[in-house]
């Protein structure tokens, strides 16, 4: 079985989707291909999201927001949206999930930590589903 590809999508690809991608890379290693993108990418990753992830020992400072492409959706097995609404193209046969999470944009670290922790919980569940221990 080839390794699954997971695409995380939010509007700016600067907070939630970057934290989710960071956690999935950290927890699944090279067993999962990880992509993230945004419908309207920001100029850079949210510095508070970077700080929150650094507290977990995960460095996302070098990541850059990327524009969502139909190719990214087509090559993904799982597409997880986080508040991008109808901007994500739909392809039959893909697993889609919409994670309702607060937007960390403009929030302080105290507000971002619970968002980060909820993302980690969901990523741990996703890893268990994608990579069952045999």
């Amino acid at each position: 079985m080839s390794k699954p590809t997971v695409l995380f999508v939010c509007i700016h690809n600067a907070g939630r989707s970057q934290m989710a991608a960071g956690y999935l890379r950290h927890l699944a290693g090279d067993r999962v291909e990880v992509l993230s993108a945004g419908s309207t990418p920001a100029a850079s990753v949210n510095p508070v999201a970077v700080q929150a992830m650094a507290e977990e020992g995960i460095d996302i400072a070098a990541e850059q927001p990327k524009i969502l492409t139909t190719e990214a959706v087509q090559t993904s097995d799982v597409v997880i949206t986080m508040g991008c609404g109808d901007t994500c193209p739909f392809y039959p046969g893909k697993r889609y999930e919409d994670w309702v999470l607060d937007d960390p944009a403009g929030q302080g670290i105290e507000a971002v930590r619970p968002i980060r922790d909820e993302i980690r919980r969901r990523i741990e569940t996703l890893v268990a589903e994608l990579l069952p221990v045999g």
Side-chain angles (χ1 to χ4, degrees), residues 3 22 29 32 39 49 55 58 68 71 86 93 97-98 111 116-117 121-122 129 131 133:
K3 67 180 172 180
V32 175
S39 51
E55 291 178 354
I58 300 170
L68 176 63
E71 292 79 22
D86 297 332
E97 291 184 24
D98 184 42
R116 173 202 65 199
D117 295 345
R121 187 189 67 71
R122 293 178 188 215
E129 293 168 358
L131 304 170
V133 178

Side-chain angles (χ1 to χ4, degrees), residues 8 16 20 80-83 97-101 118-119 122-123 126:
F8 296 101
R16 294 167 289 191
I80 297 175
T81 57
M82 303 172 180
E97 291 184 24
D98 184 42
W99 291 1
V100 179
L101 299 160
E118 176 62 16
I119 290 171
R122 293 178 188 215
I123 293 296
L126 182 67

Side-chain angles (χ1 to χ4, degrees), residues 41-107:
S44 62
V45 175
N46 179 338
V48 182
V50 172
Q51 178 187 354
M53 293 301 286
E55 291 178 354
E56 297 280 290
I58 300 170
D59 183 5
I60 61 169
E63 297 299 324
Q64 282 296 310
K66 294 168 272 315
I67 187 74
L68 176 63
T69 64
T70 54
E71 292 79 22
V73 177
Q74 287 173 321
T75 61
S76 297
D77 301 298
V78 181
V79 179
I80 297 175
T81 57
M82 303 172 180
C84 68
D86 297 332
T87 61
C88 188
F90 181 84
Y91 292 94
K94 305 283 179 202
R95 173 179 164 185
Y96 287 87
E97 291 184 24
D98 184 42
W99 291 1
V100 179
L101 299 160
D102 290 335
D103 189 344
Q107 305 284 341

